Amino acid sequence: MEWSLRRPALRIYERLLEQEVDGAPSHVAVIQDGNRRYAESQGKERTAGHRAGAETTEAMLRWCRNLGVDELTLYAFSTENFDRPPEEREALFDLIESKLRDFADREEVHEHRVRIRAIGETDRLPERVREAVAYADRRTRGYDDLCLNVALAYGGRAELLNVAREVAHDVRDGDLAPGEIDADELDRRLTTQPRRDVDLIIRTGGDERTSNFLPWHANGNEAAVFFCTPYWPEFRRVDFLRAIRTYESRRESWRRTRAQRALALVSSLRDRELPEARRVLGRLRGSLPEDELAEADVEPTAD
Ligand code: FPP
Ligand code: MG
């Protein structure tokens, strides 16, 4: 609805949202979709849409820094994108190459210690892009105030399949017992190693799918998902703030659900385990309103 807001109203709305959100998600992942549709709506060529999208990417990096996001992962080129017509694909590679080098040379990137890395099957990329990846990696190695992961030749299912094959081989060869396969073991074997799990996925362009993006680190972490209609070149700070608000309300409802489950458990154990019930209820203080705590009918004690 606010898409049609005029500039002054938009500024007020942005300020209101700013007041509403507190505490940015630690790791945000973005499916930057809609570049070509944006270009079409402007009567321009596809590649102009990608260039306009890259400008939003730059702005997004700034917004994340200002709002205290620790890690940003961008879907810049999926394994499916290899199927695009050669001229579009090559133009995209040119753009990604020049942006990686440009980011890596920027004063603000060094001033704010932004770490730039690529994730995905980067050996499938043309040499010029691989060199730009290595350049950005080299120039920002050692930084970690904000981590920027650029997903290139990335496909989540392919990565999980590789891990499954590797595990099967190790079990067959007697190097791994089936009982040793747990989440940590699989996590260690993934080639994508973000610093932290994903808290929020944003997808622009109107499609409501997460398209094979970070299935382990986002779905596994039950990340909040924010779908919105603006094409990526049109995505504004106000949309990002709305996404963060969605993440926060989701986190709040989860916290309550967890606390309510714990409360139900405590209530059922109350008669047998009164001291333990008191201790747990003491811990829940502050997470639930006093009247809900009172329903447990147990006097909480402090730890
Ligand atoms: C999806 O829109 C966008 C892409 C495939 C390319 C995204 C890449 C950039 C914005 C460059 C960023 C560069 C770096 C280094 C991070 P689409 O082409 O699917 O458009 P459509 O949905 O309208 O068809
Ligand atoms: Mg698309």
Side-chain angles (χ1 to χ4, degrees), residues 33-34 36-37 84 203:
D33 199 21
R36 295 182 300 185
R37 281 169 285 162
R84 294 210 171 174
R203 182 180 188 135

Side-chain angles (χ1 to χ4, degrees), residues 32-37 50 53-54 57 76 81 84 92 99 150:
Q32 327 174 92
D33 199 21
N35 288 353
R36 295 182 300 185
R37 281 169 285 162
H50 293 312
T57 304
N81 290 155
R84 294 210 171 174
L92 254 176
K99 284 293 157 195
V150 184

Side-chain angles (χ1 to χ4, degrees), residues 100-118:
L100 280 173
R101 287 186 181 274
D102 174 45
F103 286 169
D105 287 340
R106 281 197 180 200
E107 207 180 302
E108 57 188 298
V109 162
H110 297 279
E111 188 188 335
H112 298 284
R113 301 177 56 80
V114 180
R115 173 78 168 111
I116 305 173
R117 298 184 307 163

Side-chain angles (χ1 to χ4, degrees), residues 210-222:
T210 51
S211 297
N212 209 5
F213 193 36
L214 302 166
W216 182 269
H217 303 97
N219 300 13
N221 191 38
E222 310 224 37

Side-chain angles (χ1 to χ4, degrees), residues 34-45 49 231 233-234:
N35 288 353
R36 295 182 300 185
R37 281 169 285 162
Y38 171 77
E40 200 181 339
S41 74
Q42 305 287 306
K44 294 186 178 152
E45 276 183 68
Y231 302 135
E234 298 169 329

Side-chain angles (χ1 to χ4, degrees), residues 2 4-19 236-238 241:
E2 76 284 3
S4 58
L5 289 180
R6 304 187 94 84
R7 217 163 250 281
L10 191 68
R11 265 202 301 275
I12 294 169
Y13 180 52
E14 191 170 335
R15 217 161 295 144
L16 279 174
L17 279 172
E18 236 158 31
Q19 282 163 13
R236 300 150 308 164
R237 189 166 179 274
V238 78
L241 290 170

Side-chain angles (χ1 to χ4, degrees), residues 32 35 38 47-58 95 232-233:
Q32 327 174 92
N35 288 353
Y38 171 77
T47 49
H50 293 312
R51 280 198 303 277
E55 280 173 32
T56 307
T57 304
E58 281 179 44
L95 179 66
W232 179 241

